[in-house]
C-alpha cells in the first residue's frame, strides 16, 4: 500500500527552493558589493605589495603592468542572481580569487576597519552587525564606529560635484585637448594662459589626480595616455613661471606617482624639475621667477621691486623638491630648497615679518610690503606643511611657521567693528584693511597648525582660523551671486566687500573651499558643508555654461558677465576640495597627506605607505 502524501508537501518543497535561491542571491550581492571597492582601496593592496618588494632591496622601478591603474580600477561588477555568474575579473584577465591568492602570499588581507568610508555607496552593503574596531579621526580626534563614519559621506552632493568635473573635462577635451586651458564661451583654447599657447596640457596634468580620486577611470586613462605620448618641455622655448610650473606640473606628477606607482609620472616630474634648475643659479641660491626651459635663461619680472624674486614663488618649492629627492634618491632637489630655507631663516626680518620681495643677487629685501594673500601666501603654507610632510621631524620648519604666524597675528590680523576677523596687507608699517581672496586659505592653515601641535598658541590659532573662514564666507554671501570677490575691504562704509571695480571679479578660485574642507575635517561642524553646498549652487547658477565653467567679471551684479576662461585650478583645486568636503575623513586623511598649494596631495613620510621612498640614495648630481 502506498503511503498517503500530504497536499502541502509540494508547496513546502517549492517554498524551500525559492528561499534557498533568494538566500544565495543576497549572499552573492553582498559578496560582490564588498569586493567592488573604490580604486583607492584596491590601490592599498597594490602598494602593500610594492612595499614588500622595496624592503627586499630590489633596486628597480615598479613594474608598469602591475601598477598601472587599469589594474586598480578593474571592471565594474554587476551582481546577477542567476546562479550562473561568470568569474569576477579585474580588467587584466586575472580573477579576484587569483589576486587574493597572490596577495595572501605577500601580505595579509587588509582589515576592513581600515578602509571603511573610502568605498562610497558600495559600503552600504556591509553587514552592520559586525563589530568593527573604532576608527580614529585625524589628529587623535573622537573615536567613531564605521557605521557613523559612513554617515560622513554625502553621496548625493558628491555625485553632483563629479558631474561638474565631467562637464568641465569633457568640454576641455572637445575644444582644447592638449592645450592649456579652455575658453568655454568661445569654444576654443585659451592662448592667454600663464603657460601661453604651447601644448603643455596644463588642464590635463592639473586635473588628473582629481579624476583619479573621483574614480573617473575612462577620463583618467585619456589624460595619462596623453602625458605619456605628448608631454615634454624639451622643445618649449618659452619663459615659464618656476612657481606655477612647479605646483601644477611637478606637484601633479608627484601625486599621480604616489597614487599609482607608475614610474612614468616620476620620470616626468624629474624632467620638469630639471628644466627649472637653471633658475636657481643666482649668488644667493634664491631662484628667479622665470626660466626658458629650452635655453636655460632665467630672469625676474620687471615690475617686481627692482628685479626681486617673490616670496610666495621661491618659497613654494619645498614640498615638491624634497619629495622628489626622496623618491629619486637624488639629494640635489632638496639641497636647492634647503638653501632657500637657510637664507630666509638667517636674514633679519623686520618686526618678525617677511616682506614679499627679495633680491636674489644681493640677498636684501625689496619694498616693505607684507601679505598673507598675493605675493606672500603659500610660503607660510609650506613652512607648516614641510613639517607635516617630514612626519613632524623638520622642527626648523615648524619653528619658522610659529614665529611667522605669531608676528602676523600681532601685526596684521584684525577684527572689524562688527566682529569679522581678517588678515590685512601691510605696506610700510601701514595696514591697508584689505584682504585678498587668495588669503582665504589661511583659515584652514591656522586651524591645521592648531590641530597638529598642542601648545600655548593652539587655541588662538584655531580661533583665528575659524574667524577668517567665517569672514571669507561673509564675502561670498554679501554678493548677489553668492560668490566672493578677488579682494575685499573693511572700512566705515563696508565690511567684507570689494569697493574697487578691479577687485570685484571671481575666477573660479578654491581658497575659501579649501578652508571649508580643512575646518570640516577638524571640527565636523555642519555649517562648513552647508556653506560649501551654497557655493556649489552658485557655481552652477552663474559659472556653468553649455561648454564648461567661466569666472565672473563682477560678483555684485545679478546677471554677471562671464570671463570666458576655465582655469586649470578649477579642476585641480576647486572641485577636488568640494568633493572631499562631502567625503569621509578616511578619503585622503589629513594625518597621511599634505596638499600642495595646487591641492595635489603628497604623502607624509612615515605615516603613509604611498610615500615610495627610493631604497638607495644617489650621490649628489652635478646638474645645474
Amino acid at each position: 500500500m502506498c503511503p498517503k502524501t500530504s497536499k502541502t508537501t509540494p508547496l513546502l518543497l517549492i517554498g524551500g527552493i525559492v528561499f534557498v535561491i533568494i538566500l544565495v542571491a543576497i549572499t552573492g550581492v553582498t559578496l560582490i558589493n564588498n569586493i567592488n571597492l573604490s580604486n583607492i582601496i584596491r590601490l592599498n593592496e597594490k602598494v602593500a605589495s610594492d612595499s614588500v618588494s622595496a624592503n627586499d632591496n630590489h633596486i628597480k622601478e615598479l613594474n608598469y603592468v602591475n601598477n598601472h591603474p587599469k589594474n586598480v580600477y578593474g571592471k565594474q561588477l554587476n551582481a546577477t542572481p542567476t546562479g550562473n555568474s561568470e568569474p569576477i575579473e579585474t580588467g587584466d584577465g586575472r580573477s579576484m580569487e587569483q589576486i587574493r591568492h597572490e596577495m595572501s602570499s605577500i601580505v595579509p588581507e587588509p582589515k576592513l576597519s581600515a578602509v571603511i568610508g573610502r568605498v562610497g555607496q558600495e559600503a552600504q552593503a556591509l553587514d552592520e552587525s559586525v563589530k568593527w574596531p573604532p576608527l580614529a579621526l585625524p589628529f587623535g580626534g573622537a573615536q567613531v564606529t564605521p557605521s557613523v563614519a559612513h554617515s560622513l559621506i554625502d553621496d548625493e552632493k558628491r555625485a553632483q560635484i563629479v558631474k561638474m568635473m565631467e562637464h568641465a573635462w569633457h568640454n576641455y577635451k572637445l575644444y582644447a585637448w592638449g592645450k592649456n586651458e579652455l575658453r568655454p564661451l568661445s569654444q576654443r583654447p585659451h592662448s592667454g594662459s600663464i603657460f601661453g599657447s604651447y601644448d603643455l596640457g596644463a588642464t590635463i596634468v592639473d586635473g588628473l589626480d582629481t579624476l583619479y580620486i573621483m574614480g573617473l577611470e575612462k577620463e583618467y586613462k585619456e589624460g595619462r595616455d596623453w602625458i605619456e605620448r605628448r608631454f615634454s618641455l624639451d622643445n618649449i622655448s618659452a619663459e615659464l613661471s618656476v612657481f606655477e610650473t612647479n605646483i601644477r606640473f611637478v606637484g601633479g606628477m608627484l601625486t599621480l606617482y604616489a597614487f599609482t606607482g607608475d614610474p612614468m609620472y616620476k620620470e616626468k616630474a624629474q624632467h620638469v624639475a630639471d628644466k627649472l634648475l637653471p633658475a636657481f643659479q643666482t649668488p644667493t641660491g634664491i631662484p628667479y621667477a622665470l626660466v626658458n626651459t629650452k635655453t636655460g635663461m632665467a630672469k625676474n619680472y620687471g615690475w617686481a621691486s627692482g628685479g626681486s624674486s617673490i616670496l610666495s614663488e621661491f618659497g613654494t618649492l619645498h614640498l615638491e623638491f624634497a619629495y622628489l629627492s626622496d623618491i629619486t634618491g637624488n639629494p640635489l632637489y632638496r639641497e636647492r630648497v634647503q638653501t632657500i630655507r637657510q637664507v630666509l631663516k638667517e636674514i633679519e626680518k623686520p618686526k618678525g615679518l617677511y616682506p614679499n620681495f627679495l633680491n636674489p643677487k644681493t640677498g636684501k629685501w625689496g619694498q616693505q610690503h607684507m601679505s598673507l594673500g598675493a605675493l606672500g601666501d603659500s610660503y607660510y603654507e609650506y613652512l607648516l606643511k614641510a613639517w607635516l610632510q617630514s612626519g613632524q621631524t623638520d622642527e626648523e620648519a615648524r619653528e619658522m611657521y610659529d614665529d611667522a604666524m605669531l608676528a602676523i597675528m600681532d601685526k596684521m590680523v584684525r577684527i572689524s567693528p562688527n566682529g569679522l576677523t581678517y588678515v590685512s596687507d601691510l605696506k610700510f608699517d601701514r595696514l591697508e584693511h584689505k584682504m585678498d581672496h587668495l588669503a582665504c586659505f589661511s583659515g584652514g592653515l591656522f586651524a591645521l597648525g592648531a590641530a597638529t601641535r598642542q601648545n600655548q598658541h593652539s587655541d588662538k590659532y584655531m580661533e583665528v582660523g575659524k574667524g577668517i573662514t567665517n569672514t571669507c564666507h561673509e564675502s561670498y554671501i554679501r554678493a548677489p551671486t553668492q560668490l566672493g570677490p578677488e579682494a575685499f575691504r573693511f572700512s566705515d562704509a563696508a565690511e567684507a566687500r570689494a569697493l574697487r571695480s578691479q577687485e570685484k571679479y571671481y575666477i573660479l578660485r578654491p581658497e575659501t573651499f579649501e578652508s571649508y574642507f580643512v575646518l570640516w575635517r577638524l571640527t565636523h561642524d555642519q555649517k562648513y558643508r552647508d556653506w560649501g553646498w551654497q557655493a556649489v549652487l552658485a557655481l552652477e547658477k552663474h559659472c556653468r555654461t553649455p561648454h564648461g565653467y567661466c569666472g565672473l567679471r563682477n560678483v555684485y551684479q545679478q546677471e554677471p558677465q562671464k570671463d570666458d576662461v576655465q582655469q586649470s585650478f578649477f579642476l585641480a583645486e576647486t572641485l577636488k576640495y568640494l568633493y572631499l568636503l562631502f567625503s569621509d575623513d578616511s578619503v585622503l586623511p589629513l594625518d597621511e597627506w599634505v596638499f600642495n598649494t595646487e591641492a595635489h596631495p603628497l604623502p607624509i613620510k612615515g605615516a603613509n605607505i604611498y610615500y615610495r621612498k627610493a631604497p638607495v640614495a644617489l650621490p649628489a648630481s652635478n646638474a645645474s
Side-chain angles (χ1 to χ4, degrees), residues 181 194-195 202-203 205-207 209-210 243-252 255 316 319-320 378 381-382 385 438 509-511 514 567-577 594-602:
E181 290 171 335
I194 58 169
F195 297 109
T203 293
V205 180
D206 223 6
D209 62 342
T210 305
F243 163 72
E244 296 286 0
T245 305
N246 174 63
I247 65 173
R248 303 193 198 202
F249 289 91
V250 180
T255 291
T316 309
L319 295 185
E320 297 83 4
S378 48
E381 176 185 2
Y382 272 38
K385 290 182 176 179
L438 287 166
R509 286 205 186 277
E511 289 79 17
E514 177 181 356
Q567 305 279 351
S568 80
F569 57 68
F570 179 67
L571 291 79
E573 301 185 76
T574 305
L575 294 179
K576 183 184 291 148
Y577 280 129
V594 290
F595 291 79
N596 88 337
T597 201
E598 190 75 6
H600 296 305
L602 299 173

Side-chain angles (χ1 to χ4, degrees), residues 180-181 190-198 200 202-203 206 236 238-249 289-291 301 313 507 509 565-569 598:
N180 291 313
E181 290 171 335
H190 176 42
S191 59
S193 158
I194 58 169
F195 297 109
S197 58
Y198 286 96
L200 301 181
T203 293
D206 223 6
I236 304 298
E239 293 176 345
L240 296 183
S241 163
V242 173
F243 163 72
E244 296 286 0
T245 305
N246 174 63
I247 65 173
R248 303 193 198 202
F249 289 91
L290 301 168
V291 63
Y301 297 107
E313 297 196 346
I507 56 171
R509 286 205 186 277
V565 179
Q566 181 175 279
Q567 305 279 351
S568 80
F569 57 68
E598 190 75 6

Side-chain angles (χ1 to χ4, degrees), residues 1-51:
M1 176 183 270
C2 294
K4 189 173 183 179
T5 304
S6 169
K7 295 180 179 179
T8 61
T9 299
L11 295 176
L12 291 173
L13 182 60
I14 293 171
I17 292 172
V18 171
F19 175 76
V20 170
I21 291 173
I22 293 173
L23 182 61
V24 170
I26 292 174
T27 303
V29 170
T30 303
L31 175 62
I32 291 175
N33 279 336
N34 284 347
I35 293 172
N36 185 22
L37 301 179
S38 68
N39 56 313
I40 294 178
I41 300 315
R42 292 176 205 161
L43 182 57
N44 282 343
E45 295 183 345
K46 218 14 113 180
V47 172
S49 174
D50 298 340
S51 299

Side-chain angles (χ1 to χ4, degrees), residues 367-580:
Q367 62 181 238
Q368 301 292 292
H369 175 201
M370 292 79 162
S371 175
L372 201 51
L375 308 178
D377 50 9
S378 48
Y379 166 65
Y380 306 99
E381 176 185 2
Y382 272 38
L383 288 176
L384 177 65
K385 290 182 176 179
W387 173 70
L388 293 174
Q389 183 189 45
S390 73
Q392 302 186 11
T393 62
D394 185 358
E395 281 297 325
E396 180 180 71
R398 178 73 203 212
E399 291 171 8
M400 292 174 71
Y401 166 80
D402 283 326
D403 290 345
M405 291 299 103
L406 292 174
I408 286 172
M409 286 194 299
D410 180 42
K411 303 294 193 304
M412 296 165 62
V413 173
R414 294 292 182 265
I415 299 177
S416 74
N418 290 312
L420 295 181
T421 301
Y422 62 99
V423 55
S424 172
D425 282 10
L426 182 67
K427 287 186 176 180
F428 302 102
D429 290 331
R430 180 175 176 272
L431 289 171
E432 278 199 291
H433 300 287
K434 172 186 79 77
M435 182 172 170
D436 291 338
H437 189 291
L438 287 166
C440 285
F441 87 99
S442 64
L445 182 69
F446 276 108
L448 196 59
T452 51
R453 170 167 284 177
Q454 292 299 312
N455 58 25
Q456 67 271 32
H457 311 305
S458 300
D459 290 344
K460 184 62 176 178
Y461 281 163
M462 184 60 76
E463 177 187 346
V464 171
K466 290 179 178 180
I468 287 174
T469 304
N470 177 70
T471 298
C472 291
H473 173 247
E474 287 292 326
S475 78
Y476 274 57
I477 63 174
R478 296 182 184 203
T481 58
Q482 303 285 284
L483 293 168
E486 179 70 3
F488 43 93
R489 296 178 180 269
F490 298 84
S491 68
D492 295 337
E495 290 187 354
R497 278 185 63 91
L499 299 179
R500 301 179 182 179
S501 59
Q502 65 268 32
E503 298 171 347
K504 296 180 179 180
Y505 63 89
Y506 172 71
I507 56 171
L508 305 174
R509 286 205 186 277
E511 289 79 17
T512 297
F513 312 141
E514 177 181 356
S515 286
Y516 292 171
F517 160 66
V518 175
L519 266 296
W520 161 257
R521 283 284 178 95
L522 299 179
T523 70
H524 288 157
D525 188 330
Q526 180 61 33
K527 71 182 180 184
Y528 297 114
R529 279 187 161 179
D530 294 341
W531 293 353
W533 187 244
Q534 289 173 2
V536 169
L537 297 178
L539 287 167
E540 287 290 83
K541 180 177 180 181
H542 296 290
C543 298
R544 184 186 179 102
T545 76
H547 304 291
Y549 291 84
C550 297
L552 307 177
R553 298 192 184 280
N554 188 337
V555 297
Y556 297 106
Q557 294 176 345
Q558 293 289 346
E559 298 293 334
Q561 183 183 2
K562 296 177 175 62
D563 69 1
D564 198 18
V565 179
Q566 181 175 279
Q567 305 279 351
S568 80
F569 57 68
F570 179 67
L571 291 79
E573 301 185 76
T574 305
L575 294 179
K576 183 184 291 148
Y577 280 129
L578 288 170
Y579 178 82
L580 292 173

